Amino acid sequence: MRSTVSAYVRLPKIHKFSVAGIAATGAAVVAVAVAPHAFAADAAPAAAVKPVAWSAEAFGQTQQADLEKHADAAAKAGADAAAEAKAGKERAEKQAANRSTERKAIAAKPAAAAKPAAKPAAPAKPAAKPAAPAKKAYADDLEGWIGQSLDILRAKGIPASYEGIKKNVMRESTGNPRAINDWDVNAVNGVPSKGLLQMIDPTFKAYHVEGTSWDIYDPVANITAACNYAADKYGSMDNVNSAY
């Protein structure tokens, strides 16, 4: 089927300008044929009409170049606008993220403030009392008994010496804490002498030293009470050299 669109319409713009130029030239030739005198009189302008087709083509090229420039400018403007839009979107997202972070920080502050204050630290426990010094140990023999008795006598301010005590112990009982005299006058009177330093019960009770046993046969209690008696009667057990 033949197209109803004119061939002229389908021509590009630059070709349309060329066709228009050719048509104008044809019209000029007809006019010369009809009025040769008029053509002769106006020969110079007619000669100027010749390059119409070239001028139209140049005009078309200029228009095409302008269109291309406009198209390039439009494309560049579109690209710039797209880049600006993208940058704007990124700025907006960044600002939104910053605002979100700030809101979270603000929301977190009251939560932190809502926490109850930490309980004050419990007061430090008082320092433990220093342990009592270990009790002095004494040997369970004559040396130990005399040593323990001397410590008690010194604490009470009663004079005595190791040598003075030992010499009297050896004379009175030979170091036997269970020794008893059942033949002297005291024995006859019913109060025999007993222990290391041969004390009778009334004298032991009268000169007993606090902190020692009440048993007259206890070696430490016997020595301590005898030294207390000797200090009262003779100034010290060191001054006793015979039965006392």
Side-chain angles (χ1 to χ4, degrees), residues 161-211:
S161 70
Y162 175 84
E163 291 78 10
I165 294 172
K166 187 172 183 180
K167 73 178 182 179
N168 281 286
V169 166
M170 296 308 291
R171 185 187 68 249
E172 294 293 330
S173 65
T174 66
N176 179 11
R178 304 300 297 181
I180 184 171
N181 186 331
D182 56 4
W183 54 267
D184 67 1
V185 68
N186 291 323
V188 171
N189 292 331
V191 283
S193 301
K194 303 174 182 177
L196 289 174
L197 285 169
Q198 293 293 285
M199 297 195 77
I200 60 176
D201 287 334
T203 305
F204 175 78
K205 290 177 182 177
Y207 288 93
H208 174 265
V209 176
E210 185 180 358

Short mmCIF file of all heavy atoms in Angstrom, two decimals, residues 161-211:
data_model
loop_
_atom_site.label_atom_id
_atom_site.label_comp_id
_atom_site.label_asym_id
_atom_site.label_seq_id
_atom_site.Cartn_x
_atom_site.Cartn_y
_atom_site.Cartn_z
N SER A 161 65.71 -15.21 143.54
CA SER A 161 66.63 -15.52 142.45
C SER A 161 66.60 -17.02 142.22
O SER A 161 66.21 -17.81 143.08
CB SER A 161 68.05 -15.06 142.77
OG SER A 161 68.61 -15.88 143.80
N TYR A 162 67.04 -17.39 141.03
CA TYR A 162 67.06 -18.81 140.67
C TYR A 162 67.95 -19.59 141.65
O TYR A 162 67.57 -20.65 142.15
CB TYR A 162 67.55 -18.96 139.24
CG TYR A 162 67.72 -20.40 138.80
CD1 TYR A 162 66.63 -21.13 138.32
CD2 TYR A 162 68.97 -21.02 138.90
CE1 TYR A 162 66.79 -22.47 137.94
CE2 TYR A 162 69.13 -22.34 138.51
CZ TYR A 162 68.03 -23.06 138.03
OH TYR A 162 68.20 -24.38 137.68
N GLU A 163 69.13 -19.05 141.92
CA GLU A 163 70.08 -19.74 142.77
C GLU A 163 69.55 -19.89 144.21
O GLU A 163 69.68 -20.95 144.84
CB GLU A 163 71.42 -18.98 142.83
CG GLU A 163 72.18 -19.00 141.52
CD GLU A 163 71.64 -18.00 140.49
OE1 GLU A 163 70.77 -17.16 140.86
OE2 GLU A 163 72.06 -18.06 139.32
N GLY A 164 68.95 -18.79 144.71
CA GLY A 164 68.43 -18.84 146.09
C GLY A 164 67.31 -19.87 146.23
O GLY A 164 67.22 -20.58 147.23
N ILE A 165 66.45 -19.96 145.20
CA ILE A 165 65.35 -20.92 145.26
C ILE A 165 65.88 -22.35 145.16
O ILE A 165 65.51 -23.22 145.97
CB ILE A 165 64.34 -20.64 144.13
CG1 ILE A 165 63.65 -19.29 144.33
CG2 ILE A 165 63.31 -21.76 144.04
CD1 ILE A 165 62.78 -18.85 143.16
N LYS A 166 66.77 -22.57 144.20
CA LYS A 166 67.20 -23.95 143.95
C LYS A 166 67.96 -24.54 145.15
O LYS A 166 67.76 -25.71 145.51
CB LYS A 166 68.07 -24.01 142.70
CG LYS A 166 68.40 -25.45 142.31
CD LYS A 166 69.08 -25.53 140.95
CE LYS A 166 69.31 -26.99 140.57
NZ LYS A 166 69.98 -27.10 139.25
N LYS A 167 68.83 -23.75 145.77
CA LYS A 167 69.62 -24.28 146.90
C LYS A 167 68.71 -24.68 148.07
O LYS A 167 68.95 -25.71 148.74
CB LYS A 167 70.67 -23.28 147.36
CG LYS A 167 70.14 -22.07 148.12
CD LYS A 167 71.27 -21.14 148.59
CE LYS A 167 70.69 -19.96 149.39
NZ LYS A 167 71.74 -19.05 149.87
N ASN A 168 67.64 -23.91 148.29
CA ASN A 168 66.73 -24.24 149.39
C ASN A 168 65.83 -25.42 149.03
O ASN A 168 65.51 -26.24 149.91
CB ASN A 168 65.89 -23.03 149.78
CG ASN A 168 66.66 -22.04 150.64
OD1 ASN A 168 66.91 -22.29 151.83
ND2 ASN A 168 67.07 -20.93 150.04
N VAL A 169 65.44 -25.54 147.76
CA VAL A 169 64.64 -26.69 147.33
C VAL A 169 65.43 -27.98 147.52
O VAL A 169 64.92 -29.00 148.03
CB VAL A 169 64.20 -26.53 145.86
CG1 VAL A 169 63.67 -27.84 145.30
CG2 VAL A 169 63.15 -25.45 145.72
N MET A 170 66.69 -27.95 147.11
CA MET A 170 67.50 -29.16 147.19
C MET A 170 67.73 -29.56 148.65
O MET A 170 67.81 -30.76 148.97
CB MET A 170 68.84 -28.95 146.48
CG MET A 170 68.69 -28.70 144.98
SD MET A 170 67.68 -29.98 144.12
CE MET A 170 68.79 -31.39 144.24
N ARG A 171 67.86 -28.57 149.56
CA ARG A 171 68.07 -28.88 150.97
C ARG A 171 66.79 -29.42 151.61
O ARG A 171 66.81 -30.37 152.40
CB ARG A 171 68.55 -27.63 151.73
CG ARG A 171 68.90 -27.95 153.21
CD ARG A 171 69.22 -26.71 154.03
NE ARG A 171 68.03 -25.87 154.22
CZ ARG A 171 67.90 -24.68 153.64
NH1 ARG A 171 68.83 -24.21 152.82
NH2 ARG A 171 66.81 -23.97 153.85
N GLU A 172 65.63 -28.84 151.25
CA GLU A 172 64.39 -29.18 151.91
C GLU A 172 63.74 -30.46 151.37
O GLU A 172 63.15 -31.23 152.14
CB GLU A 172 63.39 -28.02 151.77
CG GLU A 172 63.79 -26.76 152.50
CD GLU A 172 63.77 -26.92 154.02
OE1 GLU A 172 62.98 -27.72 154.55
OE2 GLU A 172 64.55 -26.23 154.70
N SER A 173 63.83 -30.71 150.03
CA SER A 173 63.08 -31.86 149.47
C SER A 173 63.84 -32.64 148.41
O SER A 173 63.28 -33.59 147.85
CB SER A 173 61.77 -31.37 148.86
OG SER A 173 62.05 -30.53 147.73
N THR A 174 65.05 -32.19 148.09
CA THR A 174 65.87 -32.76 147.01
C THR A 174 65.13 -32.73 145.67
O THR A 174 65.34 -33.57 144.79
CB THR A 174 66.31 -34.20 147.33
OG1 THR A 174 65.16 -35.07 147.37
CG2 THR A 174 67.07 -34.28 148.65
N GLY A 175 64.18 -31.77 145.53
CA GLY A 175 63.49 -31.59 144.26
C GLY A 175 62.25 -32.45 144.09
O GLY A 175 61.71 -32.53 142.96
N ASN A 176 61.76 -33.08 145.19
CA ASN A 176 60.58 -33.94 145.12
C ASN A 176 59.34 -33.13 145.51
O ASN A 176 59.18 -32.78 146.68
CB ASN A 176 60.74 -35.14 146.06
CG ASN A 176 59.51 -36.05 146.03
OD1 ASN A 176 58.62 -35.91 145.17
ND2 ASN A 176 59.45 -36.98 146.99
N PRO A 177 58.43 -32.81 144.56
CA PRO A 177 57.26 -32.00 144.89
C PRO A 177 56.26 -32.71 145.81
O PRO A 177 55.41 -32.04 146.42
CB PRO A 177 56.63 -31.70 143.53
CG PRO A 177 57.09 -32.78 142.64
CD PRO A 177 58.46 -33.18 143.13
N ARG A 178 56.39 -34.05 146.00
CA ARG A 178 55.46 -34.79 146.85
C ARG A 178 56.10 -35.13 148.23
O ARG A 178 55.52 -35.86 149.03
CB ARG A 178 55.06 -36.10 146.18
CG ARG A 178 54.46 -35.98 144.81
CD ARG A 178 53.18 -35.17 144.78
NE ARG A 178 52.12 -35.77 145.56
CZ ARG A 178 50.89 -35.28 145.70
NH1 ARG A 178 50.58 -34.12 145.10
NH2 ARG A 178 49.99 -35.90 146.44
N ALA A 179 57.22 -34.51 148.47
CA ALA A 179 57.91 -34.79 149.76
C ALA A 179 57.06 -34.33 150.95
O ALA A 179 56.39 -33.30 150.86
CB ALA A 179 59.27 -34.10 149.77
N ILE A 180 57.11 -35.09 152.07
CA ILE A 180 56.37 -34.74 153.28
C ILE A 180 57.21 -35.17 154.51
O ILE A 180 57.81 -36.23 154.52
CB ILE A 180 54.99 -35.42 153.32
CG1 ILE A 180 54.20 -34.95 154.55
CG2 ILE A 180 55.08 -36.91 153.20
CD1 ILE A 180 52.74 -35.39 154.54
N ASN A 181 57.27 -34.27 155.51
CA ASN A 181 58.00 -34.54 156.75
C ASN A 181 57.01 -34.99 157.81
O ASN A 181 56.18 -34.20 158.24
CB ASN A 181 58.76 -33.30 157.21
CG ASN A 181 59.65 -33.55 158.40
OD1 ASN A 181 59.38 -34.43 159.24
ND2 ASN A 181 60.72 -32.77 158.48
N ASP A 182 57.11 -36.25 158.23
CA ASP A 182 56.15 -36.78 159.20
C ASP A 182 56.80 -37.11 160.55
O ASP A 182 56.26 -37.87 161.36
CB ASP A 182 55.46 -38.03 158.66
CG ASP A 182 56.42 -39.11 158.25
OD1 ASP A 182 57.64 -38.91 158.45
OD2 ASP A 182 55.97 -40.13 157.70
N TRP A 183 57.96 -36.44 160.84
CA TRP A 183 58.65 -36.76 162.08
C TRP A 183 59.04 -35.54 162.91
O TRP A 183 59.33 -35.66 164.10
CB TRP A 183 59.91 -37.59 161.81
CG TRP A 183 60.86 -36.95 160.81
CD1 TRP A 183 60.91 -37.16 159.50
CD2 TRP A 183 61.87 -36.00 161.10
NE1 TRP A 183 61.86 -36.41 158.89
CE2 TRP A 183 62.49 -35.69 159.88
CE3 TRP A 183 62.33 -35.36 162.30
CZ2 TRP A 183 63.54 -34.75 159.80
CZ3 TRP A 183 63.37 -34.46 162.19
CH2 TRP A 183 63.97 -34.13 160.93
N ASP A 184 59.05 -34.32 162.27
CA ASP A 184 59.49 -33.15 163.05
C ASP A 184 58.36 -32.63 163.94
O ASP A 184 57.28 -33.21 163.99
CB ASP A 184 60.06 -32.06 162.15
CG ASP A 184 59.03 -31.43 161.23
OD1 ASP A 184 57.84 -31.85 161.31
OD2 ASP A 184 59.35 -30.55 160.39
N VAL A 185 58.62 -31.53 164.58
CA VAL A 185 57.67 -30.95 165.52
C VAL A 185 56.37 -30.59 164.84
O VAL A 185 55.29 -30.73 165.43
CB VAL A 185 58.29 -29.73 166.24
CG1 VAL A 185 58.52 -28.58 165.27
CG2 VAL A 185 57.41 -29.28 167.41
N ASN A 186 56.46 -30.15 163.62
CA ASN A 186 55.22 -29.80 162.90
C ASN A 186 54.38 -31.05 162.67
O ASN A 186 53.14 -31.00 162.80
CB ASN A 186 55.56 -29.14 161.55
CG ASN A 186 56.18 -27.75 161.74
OD1 ASN A 186 55.79 -27.00 162.63
ND2 ASN A 186 57.15 -27.42 160.88
N ALA A 187 55.03 -32.14 162.37
CA ALA A 187 54.31 -33.40 162.17
C ALA A 187 53.68 -33.84 163.49
O ALA A 187 52.52 -34.30 163.50
CB ALA A 187 55.24 -34.47 161.65
N VAL A 188 54.43 -33.68 164.57
CA VAL A 188 53.92 -34.03 165.90
C VAL A 188 52.69 -33.19 166.21
O VAL A 188 51.70 -33.68 166.80
CB VAL A 188 55.02 -33.85 166.98
CG1 VAL A 188 54.42 -34.01 168.38
CG2 VAL A 188 56.15 -34.83 166.76
N ASN A 189 52.70 -31.93 165.78
CA ASN A 189 51.58 -31.03 166.03
C ASN A 189 50.43 -31.24 165.01
O ASN A 189 49.42 -30.54 165.06
CB ASN A 189 52.03 -29.58 165.98
CG ASN A 189 52.95 -29.25 167.15
OD1 ASN A 189 52.84 -29.85 168.24
ND2 ASN A 189 53.87 -28.30 166.94
N GLY A 190 50.62 -32.15 164.08
CA GLY A 190 49.56 -32.49 163.14
C GLY A 190 49.56 -31.64 161.86
O GLY A 190 48.61 -31.71 161.06
N VAL A 191 50.62 -30.86 161.68
CA VAL A 191 50.70 -30.05 160.45
C VAL A 191 52.06 -30.31 159.80
O VAL A 191 52.95 -29.45 159.87
CB VAL A 191 50.50 -28.56 160.76
CG1 VAL A 191 49.02 -28.23 160.98
CG2 VAL A 191 51.33 -28.11 161.96
N PRO A 192 52.23 -31.44 159.17
CA PRO A 192 53.54 -31.77 158.60
C PRO A 192 53.92 -30.84 157.46
O PRO A 192 53.08 -30.26 156.78
CB PRO A 192 53.35 -33.21 158.12
CG PRO A 192 51.90 -33.33 157.85
CD PRO A 192 51.21 -32.49 158.87
N SER A 193 55.22 -30.68 157.26
CA SER A 193 55.74 -29.86 156.17
C SER A 193 55.60 -30.63 154.85
O SER A 193 55.86 -31.83 154.79
CB SER A 193 57.21 -29.51 156.42
OG SER A 193 57.34 -28.82 157.65
N LYS A 194 55.23 -29.89 153.76
CA LYS A 194 54.93 -30.55 152.48
C LYS A 194 55.55 -29.81 151.30
O LYS A 194 55.76 -28.60 151.35
CB LYS A 194 53.41 -30.62 152.26
CG LYS A 194 52.62 -31.33 153.36
CD LYS A 194 51.11 -31.21 153.12
CE LYS A 194 50.30 -31.86 154.23
NZ LYS A 194 48.84 -31.68 154.04
N GLY A 195 55.81 -30.54 150.23
CA GLY A 195 56.22 -29.96 148.97
C GLY A 195 57.68 -29.64 148.85
O GLY A 195 58.50 -29.99 149.68
N LEU A 196 58.03 -28.94 147.74
CA LEU A 196 59.43 -28.64 147.42
C LEU A 196 60.13 -27.85 148.51
O LEU A 196 61.31 -28.10 148.80
CB LEU A 196 59.50 -27.86 146.09
CG LEU A 196 59.18 -28.66 144.81
CD1 LEU A 196 59.16 -27.72 143.60
CD2 LEU A 196 60.19 -29.78 144.58
N LEU A 197 59.46 -26.86 149.10
CA LEU A 197 60.09 -26.02 150.11
C LEU A 197 59.46 -26.25 151.50
O LEU A 197 59.60 -25.40 152.39
CB LEU A 197 59.99 -24.54 149.70
CG LEU A 197 60.97 -24.15 148.58
CD1 LEU A 197 60.67 -22.76 148.02
CD2 LEU A 197 62.42 -24.22 149.04
N GLN A 198 58.84 -27.43 151.66
CA GLN A 198 58.38 -27.92 152.96
C GLN A 198 57.60 -26.85 153.74
O GLN A 198 57.98 -26.41 154.82
CB GLN A 198 59.55 -28.42 153.79
CG GLN A 198 60.22 -29.67 153.23
CD GLN A 198 59.31 -30.89 153.29
OE1 GLN A 198 59.09 -31.45 154.39
NE2 GLN A 198 58.75 -31.30 152.16
N MET A 199 56.46 -26.49 153.22
CA MET A 199 55.58 -25.53 153.88
C MET A 199 54.48 -26.28 154.62
O MET A 199 54.04 -27.34 154.18
CB MET A 199 54.95 -24.57 152.86
CG MET A 199 55.96 -23.70 152.13
SD MET A 199 55.14 -22.32 151.28
CE MET A 199 54.82 -21.24 152.64
N ILE A 200 54.02 -25.72 155.73
CA ILE A 200 52.88 -26.29 156.43
C ILE A 200 51.63 -25.60 155.89
O ILE A 200 51.68 -24.48 155.34
CB ILE A 200 53.00 -26.12 157.94
CG1 ILE A 200 53.08 -24.64 158.33
CG2 ILE A 200 54.20 -26.90 158.49
CD1 ILE A 200 53.09 -24.39 159.84
N ASP A 201 50.49 -26.23 155.99
CA ASP A 201 49.25 -25.72 155.39
C ASP A 201 48.90 -24.30 155.83
O ASP A 201 48.56 -23.46 154.97
CB ASP A 201 48.10 -26.68 155.72
CG ASP A 201 48.18 -27.98 154.92
OD1 ASP A 201 48.76 -27.96 153.80
OD2 ASP A 201 47.65 -29.00 155.38
N PRO A 202 48.94 -23.94 157.12
CA PRO A 202 48.57 -22.57 157.52
C PRO A 202 49.45 -21.50 156.86
O PRO A 202 48.95 -20.46 156.43
CB PRO A 202 48.75 -22.58 159.04
CG PRO A 202 48.61 -24.01 159.42
CD PRO A 202 49.23 -24.78 158.29
N THR A 203 50.76 -21.77 156.82
CA THR A 203 51.68 -20.79 156.21
C THR A 203 51.41 -20.68 154.70
O THR A 203 51.42 -19.57 154.13
CB THR A 203 53.14 -21.19 156.47
OG1 THR A 203 53.33 -21.35 157.90
CG2 THR A 203 54.09 -20.14 155.94
N PHE A 204 51.21 -21.81 154.02
CA PHE A 204 50.93 -21.80 152.58
C PHE A 204 49.70 -20.96 152.29
O PHE A 204 49.71 -20.13 151.35
CB PHE A 204 50.74 -23.24 152.09
CG PHE A 204 50.33 -23.33 150.63
CD1 PHE A 204 51.25 -23.16 149.59
CD2 PHE A 204 48.99 -23.58 150.30
CE1 PHE A 204 50.84 -23.24 148.27
CE2 PHE A 204 48.59 -23.66 148.98
CZ PHE A 204 49.52 -23.48 147.95
N LYS A 205 48.63 -21.16 153.08
CA LYS A 205 47.38 -20.42 152.84
C LYS A 205 47.57 -18.94 153.13
O LYS A 205 47.03 -18.08 152.43
CB LYS A 205 46.28 -20.99 153.71
CG LYS A 205 45.84 -22.38 153.28
CD LYS A 205 44.78 -22.96 154.22
CE LYS A 205 44.39 -24.38 153.80
NZ LYS A 205 43.41 -24.98 154.75
N ALA A 206 48.36 -18.59 154.13
CA ALA A 206 48.57 -17.19 154.49
C ALA A 206 49.39 -16.45 153.44
O ALA A 206 49.15 -15.25 153.20
CB ALA A 206 49.26 -17.11 155.86
N TYR A 207 50.35 -17.13 152.81
CA TYR A 207 51.23 -16.48 151.84
C TYR A 207 50.99 -16.94 150.39
O TYR A 207 51.82 -16.68 149.52
CB TYR A 207 52.69 -16.71 152.24
CG TYR A 207 53.08 -15.91 153.47
CD1 TYR A 207 52.98 -16.48 154.74
CD2 TYR A 207 53.54 -14.59 153.36
CE1 TYR A 207 53.31 -15.76 155.88
CE2 TYR A 207 53.88 -13.86 154.49
CZ TYR A 207 53.75 -14.44 155.74
OH TYR A 207 54.09 -13.70 156.88
N HIS A 208 49.85 -17.53 150.17
CA HIS A 208 49.50 -17.96 148.80
C HIS A 208 49.50 -16.74 147.88
O HIS A 208 49.03 -15.66 148.23
CB HIS A 208 48.12 -18.63 148.80
CG HIS A 208 47.62 -18.95 147.44
ND1 HIS A 208 46.77 -18.11 146.73
CD2 HIS A 208 47.86 -20.02 146.63
CE1 HIS A 208 46.49 -18.66 145.56
NE2 HIS A 208 47.13 -19.83 145.47
N VAL A 209 50.03 -16.93 146.66
CA VAL A 209 50.09 -15.83 145.67
C VAL A 209 49.01 -16.06 144.64
O VAL A 209 48.89 -17.15 144.05
CB VAL A 209 51.47 -15.76 144.99
CG1 VAL A 209 51.49 -14.68 143.90
CG2 VAL A 209 52.54 -15.48 146.04
N GLU A 210 48.23 -14.98 144.40
CA GLU A 210 47.12 -15.06 143.43
C GLU A 210 47.63 -15.45 142.04
O GLU A 210 48.67 -14.96 141.61
CB GLU A 210 46.40 -13.71 143.37
CG GLU A 210 45.18 -13.70 142.49
CD GLU A 210 44.50 -12.34 142.44
OE1 GLU A 210 44.97 -11.42 143.14
OE2 GLU A 210 43.51 -12.20 141.70
N GLY A 211 46.87 -16.33 141.38
CA GLY A 211 47.26 -16.79 140.05
C GLY A 211 47.90 -18.15 140.09
O GLY A 211 48.16 -18.73 139.03
#
